[in-house]
Amino acid sequence: DMVRGGLVTNSQLLSCRSGKLTPSQVAKNIIAMLEDCDKSMPPLRAIVQWDQEQIMLMAEASTTRYRNKCTLSCLDGIPVCLKEEFKVVPYHHRVGTVYLGTQPETKDATVATKLREAGAIIIGVSNMHELGTGTTGCNPNRYHRIPRNPYNPNHFTGGSSSGSAAAVAAGLCPVAIGTDGGGSVRIPASFCGVVGLKGTFGRISCHGSLPLSYSTVSVGPICTSVADAAIVYSILAEPDMLYPYGLKQPKATLSGMCAPDLKGLKLGVDWTFFKACDAEVLSVCEKAVKHLQSLGASVVEVSLPEMEEARVAHVICILSEMRDFLQPDFYKHFHEMNLETRASLALASQFTALDYIKANRQRTRSMRFLQDIFSTVNCILTPAVPCTAPRIYESDLLTGSSDMSFTVRSMRFMQLGNFTGIPGLVVPIGYSTAGLPISLQVMAKWWDEAVLLRIGLKLEQFRDQTKKPSIYYDILA
């Protein structure tokens, strides 16, 4: 009841309850659209593995439950996809590579199990940046190819949960699941004009995803609306015996999420940090902050100390952990990796044990600073990404793309959340003159996703219009 209304899938639920539209009919529409995506020029490449029989089996089971009025949850019959980083039966767990997942999976990741138990229809697994090592989504290998931004197919989706964001933006499913170690849910969600939530570290189980970086990665939903993100979050967020990092978490709630205004909330802004973005992005983001103030929230100037140290330390942590986990792959499958992945892992091998220890000392410092800041404010606001989605060049399709300055820039507002484990939500708030999406980010203290969703609901109302992407499928038609 806490999240009644606002569900993009509400119209579908109501139609299902009345029998006017069944999950089976929606599934048939999606299958036709997935075929169309593969044939279109250029291909969308959002969903990289799907199986008609699997989709129909889940849809028919859901249709029967609606007919018998015994649905499993408000996700029953709702189409979802999962990033290829998760094990999903019976697909290949390739994680964006050509060499992993040679056999179909026989066991689901925890999030896949939970979605099935909720009655969701898994329409397939989504494209991703190879091994999650970049923020463009550029993956030229034969199984994946370059996913296209539904707002402009000549631009990247962002990464590494590239296909998840593209699938939601293009209307193929209202919900997708991604992972975020350096902005990998929030960057593509921002570039594709959809909502992205990175849960607190450990909040949603990572069990059954490739453990690329154990200290920075959180799982989260990418959705068409904040209410949808809240529903998915409330279903996925709980301890999992198979995932030790999340065992001691407080109960996930959505308390106060639907409050009529934002009275009493203090929004922290470090203006020097906030303004480190393109002029077009800044202008929309500043207006969105004013909108939140008009609803009763107050803006408090805060200072985020040692951000440069935190940024470098995050890179050392994530790359060292990935390099450690991928040590055997680096020697055995080096020539099967994309050039960019080789470069990133080669860079990672230059870090020493001393660097890693120092980086983790910095983490303790940064978490202490945040504890103090969150004793005075409820959240921290930043732009989501300092720029809009970059364009795709012909050469990217063949050899991939490696642009370190872009990678560093795209992660500017993201790394603090991954480094310290605090949750973050990105909400689309407008468009550039070129028609590309711009988003604002809200971060809160550990385990306080509820306040993010409360602010997110109000941020959504700031956008005076939602532009339809140039690639868009209406699965309810």
PDB file of all heavy atoms in Angstrom, residues 217-230:
ATOM      1  N   VAL A 217      30.864  -3.178  -4.835  1.00  0.00           N
ATOM      2  CA  VAL A 217      29.702  -3.442  -5.694  1.00  0.00           C
ATOM      3  C   VAL A 217      28.408  -3.604  -4.896  1.00  0.00           C
ATOM      4  O   VAL A 217      28.362  -4.342  -3.917  1.00  0.00           O
ATOM      5  CB  VAL A 217      29.936  -4.701  -6.570  1.00  0.00           C
ATOM      6  CG1 VAL A 217      28.674  -5.069  -7.356  1.00  0.00           C
ATOM      7  CG2 VAL A 217      31.105  -4.475  -7.529  1.00  0.00           C
ATOM      8  N   SER A 218      27.377  -2.894  -5.349  1.00  0.00           N
ATOM      9  CA  SER A 218      26.021  -3.067  -4.812  1.00  0.00           C
ATOM     10  C   SER A 218      25.095  -3.414  -5.964  1.00  0.00           C
ATOM     11  O   SER A 218      25.346  -3.017  -7.102  1.00  0.00           O
ATOM     12  CB  SER A 218      25.523  -1.771  -4.174  1.00  0.00           C
ATOM     13  OG  SER A 218      26.282  -1.457  -3.036  1.00  0.00           O
ATOM     14  N   VAL A 219      24.018  -4.110  -5.658  1.00  0.00           N
ATOM     15  CA  VAL A 219      23.011  -4.449  -6.664  1.00  0.00           C
ATOM     16  C   VAL A 219      21.883  -3.427  -6.569  1.00  0.00           C
ATOM     17  O   VAL A 219      21.613  -2.892  -5.496  1.00  0.00           O
ATOM     18  CB  VAL A 219      22.448  -5.867  -6.397  1.00  0.00           C
ATOM     19  CG1 VAL A 219      21.358  -6.233  -7.407  1.00  0.00           C
ATOM     20  CG2 VAL A 219      23.582  -6.888  -6.452  1.00  0.00           C
ATOM     21  N   GLY A 220      21.240  -3.154  -7.707  1.00  0.00           N
ATOM     22  CA  GLY A 220      20.099  -2.243  -7.647  1.00  0.00           C
ATOM     23  C   GLY A 220      19.247  -2.301  -8.894  1.00  0.00           C
ATOM     24  O   GLY A 220      19.689  -2.771  -9.945  1.00  0.00           O
ATOM     25  N   PRO A 221      17.997  -1.820  -8.775  1.00  0.00           N
ATOM     26  CA  PRO A 221      17.073  -1.824  -9.907  1.00  0.00           C
ATOM     27  C   PRO A 221      17.210  -0.576 -10.792  1.00  0.00           C
ATOM     28  O   PRO A 221      17.548   0.505 -10.305  1.00  0.00           O
ATOM     29  CB  PRO A 221      15.700  -1.845  -9.233  1.00  0.00           C
ATOM     30  CG  PRO A 221      15.908  -1.149  -7.931  1.00  0.00           C
ATOM     31  CD  PRO A 221      17.334  -1.397  -7.518  1.00  0.00           C
ATOM     32  N   ILE A 222      16.958  -0.758 -12.067  1.00  0.00           N
ATOM     33  CA  ILE A 222      16.809   0.345 -13.021  1.00  0.00           C
ATOM     34  C   ILE A 222      15.353   0.266 -13.473  1.00  0.00           C
ATOM     35  O   ILE A 222      14.893  -0.796 -13.882  1.00  0.00           O
ATOM     36  CB  ILE A 222      17.770   0.163 -14.223  1.00  0.00           C
ATOM     37  CG1 ILE A 222      19.225   0.291 -13.743  1.00  0.00           C
ATOM     38  CG2 ILE A 222      17.466   1.173 -15.328  1.00  0.00           C
ATOM     39  CD1 ILE A 222      20.270   0.012 -14.812  1.00  0.00           C
ATOM     40  N   CYS A 223      14.612   1.375 -13.327  1.00  0.00           N
ATOM     41  CA  CYS A 223      13.161   1.320 -13.562  1.00  0.00           C
ATOM     42  C   CYS A 223      12.667   2.558 -14.301  1.00  0.00           C
ATOM     43  O   CYS A 223      13.360   3.557 -14.402  1.00  0.00           O
ATOM     44  CB  CYS A 223      12.411   1.234 -12.230  1.00  0.00           C
ATOM     45  SG  CYS A 223      12.814  -0.215 -11.257  1.00  0.00           S
ATOM     46  N   THR A 224      11.408   2.463 -14.772  1.00  0.00           N
ATOM     47  CA  THR A 224      10.807   3.611 -15.436  1.00  0.00           C
ATOM     48  C   THR A 224      10.383   4.691 -14.452  1.00  0.00           C
ATOM     49  O   THR A 224      10.239   5.840 -14.820  1.00  0.00           O
ATOM     50  CB  THR A 224       9.556   3.191 -16.256  1.00  0.00           C
ATOM     51  OG1 THR A 224       9.051   1.996 -15.695  1.00  0.00           O
ATOM     52  CG2 THR A 224       9.892   2.974 -17.686  1.00  0.00           C
ATOM     53  N   SER A 225      10.144   4.325 -13.192  1.00  0.00           N
ATOM     54  CA  SER A 225       9.697   5.339 -12.234  1.00  0.00           C
ATOM     55  C   SER A 225      10.257   5.044 -10.847  1.00  0.00           C
ATOM     56  O   SER A 225      10.692   3.919 -10.569  1.00  0.00           O
ATOM     57  CB  SER A 225       8.161   5.362 -12.156  1.00  0.00           C
ATOM     58  OG  SER A 225       7.717   4.177 -11.520  1.00  0.00           O
ATOM     59  N   VAL A 226      10.223   6.044  -9.981  1.00  0.00           N
ATOM     60  CA  VAL A 226      10.705   5.879  -8.607  1.00  0.00           C
ATOM     61  C   VAL A 226       9.825   4.886  -7.847  1.00  0.00           C
ATOM     62  O   VAL A 226      10.321   4.063  -7.074  1.00  0.00           O
ATOM     63  CB  VAL A 226      10.762   7.248  -7.874  1.00  0.00           C
ATOM     64  CG1 VAL A 226      11.133   7.069  -6.404  1.00  0.00           C
ATOM     65  CG2 VAL A 226      11.774   8.172  -8.563  1.00  0.00           C
ATOM     66  N   ALA A 227       8.514   4.928  -8.089  1.00  0.00           N
ATOM     67  CA  ALA A 227       7.615   3.983  -7.396  1.00  0.00           C
ATOM     68  C   ALA A 227       7.955   2.544  -7.770  1.00  0.00           C
ATOM     69  O   ALA A 227       7.969   1.661  -6.913  1.00  0.00           O
ATOM     70  CB  ALA A 227       6.158   4.293  -7.750  1.00  0.00           C
ATOM     71  N   ASP A 228       8.264   2.323  -9.049  1.00  0.00           N
ATOM     72  CA  ASP A 228       8.669   0.975  -9.475  1.00  0.00           C
ATOM     73  C   ASP A 228       9.949   0.556  -8.751  1.00  0.00           C
ATOM     74  O   ASP A 228      10.072  -0.584  -8.282  1.00  0.00           O
ATOM     75  CB  ASP A 228       8.927   0.945 -10.987  1.00  0.00           C
ATOM     76  CG  ASP A 228       7.641   1.056 -11.800  1.00  0.00           C
ATOM     77  OD1 ASP A 228       6.583   1.290 -11.194  1.00  0.00           O
ATOM     78  OD2 ASP A 228       7.697   0.910 -13.036  1.00  0.00           O
ATOM     79  N   ALA A 229      10.910   1.481  -8.668  1.00  0.00           N
ATOM     80  CA  ALA A 229      12.181   1.179  -7.991  1.00  0.00           C
ATOM     81  C   ALA A 229      11.924   0.815  -6.528  1.00  0.00           C
ATOM     82  O   ALA A 229      12.542  -0.098  -5.981  1.00  0.00           O
ATOM     83  CB  ALA A 229      13.134   2.365  -8.097  1.00  0.00           C
ATOM     84  N   ALA A 230      10.974   1.518  -5.897  1.00  0.00           N
ATOM     85  CA  ALA A 230      10.641   1.247  -4.491  1.00  0.00           C
ATOM     86  C   ALA A 230      10.065  -0.156  -4.325  1.00  0.00           C
ATOM     87  O   ALA A 230      10.411  -0.881  -3.389  1.00  0.00           O
ATOM     88  CB  ALA A 230       9.642   2.293  -3.986  1.00  0.00           C
TER      89      ALA A 230
END
